[in-house]
Amino acid sequence: MSKIRILVLVLLNILTVDLYAQMVDRKASFGTRNLFHNLLKIDSKGVLFGHQDDMAYGIGWQYQQGRSDIKELTGEYPAVLGWDLAGLENNREKNIDGVPFEQMGEYIRSAYNLGLVNTISWHMDNPLNGNTAWDTTSVTTVKEMLPGGKVHEKYKQWLDKFVKFNETLVGDDGKLIPILFRPFHEHSGSWFWWGKKECTPTDYKELWKFTVKYLRKVKKLHNLIYVFNPNDFTSETEYLERYPGDDYVDVLSFDTYQTGPVSNGEAFKSRLAAKLVIQDNLAKKHNKISAIAEIGYVEIPDPNWWSEVLWKGIEQHPPAFIMAWRNAGFRELEKDNHYYAPHLGHPSSVDFMKMMEEKKILFQGAAKSLDLYANPKP
């Protein structure tokens, strides 16, 4: 081998190490590394639009091949697909929202094969007492999940079930599918057993660190991108209160929803913009991706919400992606359809299309052309 060729290979290796230095997993798969770095730099191209359970169900339908409320409105799937594992820990066939895990795996594979991004949350039951994720009667659950705790071994068994599910997520290219993994989300609230009033910052951080180390070092999972996800905060100090450190987080994100009357839109837009300033500054300091992991306004009663509230709230500090929550309108007698994304005929659908066409909001076509799993482009 010539000296010039050796020098080129050495330089390429140095550049590669530097390029991937800030990832949690230094042994992350090729596609996972590329996805991370493409998302890290995507703000110059636009904001990926996501939707929870998009391929599984929507307004008036459930588990029909090829359907999607977003696709039927825009002609394209969203660029990001969200899923939840609640129920997997207890060997249930379906998750908390009725999605069979076998079908969920099919949707994840389909999304990846289309060049789309998959993100997974986990509303896991309380391992200490068997109640749901919303059980807040105990303030010792997180502590008891740590090494030496009463339910530490049970928690490892739950993680092993995730590992087994993860092993089924293989694309048509024969590669394990990269996943944005978002455990213990909305931790700055107090409605989950891992919330602010339910555990100390130290215990929360230790649980997060254990989880990452167990999946990465013990179980050798190298297809995960780890997503940190508070909800309410007004300063960098608040945001970082339970931050486990740069070696354990790849993505900085938050969840936020508008509530109440349409007139609350101005205040929501201001809060949204203020949160993004804080998160964007932190993301730049720590070399992390900035994202909004959940966002929405139930039933979207404001016909101009997408362009006048959402877009104006994010345009100055655009995140890598935003994900609207699910469209749970498949039950015929359901009084509250509990939907967060528009569908054909919805009053806000015209404004949504306007935002899609005039702003830098990216869907399936853009995701495919950006080739998010390939080498990052200069």
Side-chain angles (χ1 to χ4, degrees), residues 112-309:
Y112 172 74
N113 291 333
L114 289 169
L116 311 178
V117 179
N118 289 286
T119 178
I120 288 179
S121 56
W122 195 351
H123 289 82
M124 69 176 70
D125 285 349
N126 188 323
L128 192 62
N129 56 28
N131 294 330
T132 71
W134 288 266
D135 172 68
T136 57
T137 59
S138 172
V139 294
T140 61
T141 299
V142 170
K143 182 177 289 293
E144 295 295 354
M145 293 169 70
L146 298 174
K150 293 178 182 177
V151 291
H152 178 64
E153 292 303 317
K154 177 188 281 188
Y155 180 53
K156 287 200 297 183
Q157 291 171 7
W158 286 9
L159 290 177
D160 291 346
K161 292 174 184 178
F162 168 56
V163 172
K164 186 176 181 180
F165 176 74
N166 183 76
E167 289 172 350
T168 70
L169 305 180
V170 178
D172 286 350
D173 56 7
K175 298 175 182 177
L176 205 57
I177 297 170
I179 298 292
L180 276 68
F181 184 49
R182 184 170 64 103
F184 309 122
H185 68 299
E186 298 180 4
H187 59 262
S188 54
S190 286
W191 41 85
F192 297 130
W193 52 258
W194 57 83
K196 186 172 184 177
K197 295 180 181 178
E198 287 66 43
C199 65
T200 67
T202 298
D203 285 344
Y204 182 89
K205 287 186 279 190
E206 288 304 310
L207 180 62
W208 185 284
K209 290 178 182 179
F210 170 79
T211 303
V212 172
K213 287 187 286 189
Y214 185 77
L215 294 174
R216 183 185 62 189
K217 294 184 177 181
V218 178
K219 306 309 292 188
K220 310 297 184 185
L221 261 62
H222 299 304
N223 66 316
L224 301 183
I225 294 173
Y226 294 90
V227 184
F228 183 71
N229 185 222
N231 46 296
D232 290 328
F233 57 91
T234 57
S235 68
E236 290 189 7
T237 300
E238 273 191 280
Y239 190 98
L240 295 174
E241 181 184 36
R242 292 167 186 251
Y243 185 65
D246 288 350
D247 290 340
Y248 299 92
V249 172
D250 294 308
V251 181
L252 301 183
S253 71
F254 62 89
D255 294 355
T256 187
Y257 291 89
Q258 180 175 334
T259 58
V262 171
S263 58
N264 287 353
E266 283 298 315
F268 175 77
K269 177 174 62 179
S270 296
R271 289 194 301 272
L272 174 59
K275 287 180 177 181
L276 278 172
V277 169
I278 294 168
Q279 182 172 275
D280 192 47
N281 287 337
L282 286 171
K284 286 180 169 63
K285 287 180 187 177
H286 295 262
N287 292 316
K288 306 300 179 185
I289 296 164
S290 173
I292 299 178
E294 292 181 30
I295 196 166
Y297 187 13
V298 67
E299 297 189 15
I300 324 152
D302 180 355
N304 299 311
W305 190 78
W306 301 102
S307 66
E308 295 299 318
V309 178

Side-chain angles (χ1 to χ4, degrees), residues 19 36-46 289 320 376-378:
L19 179 64
F36 172 83
H37 285 281
N38 280 316
L39 291 178
L40 193 64
K41 299 178 180 181
I42 202 170
D43 58 354
S44 62
K45 302 176 180 67
I289 296 164
K377 299 177 178 61

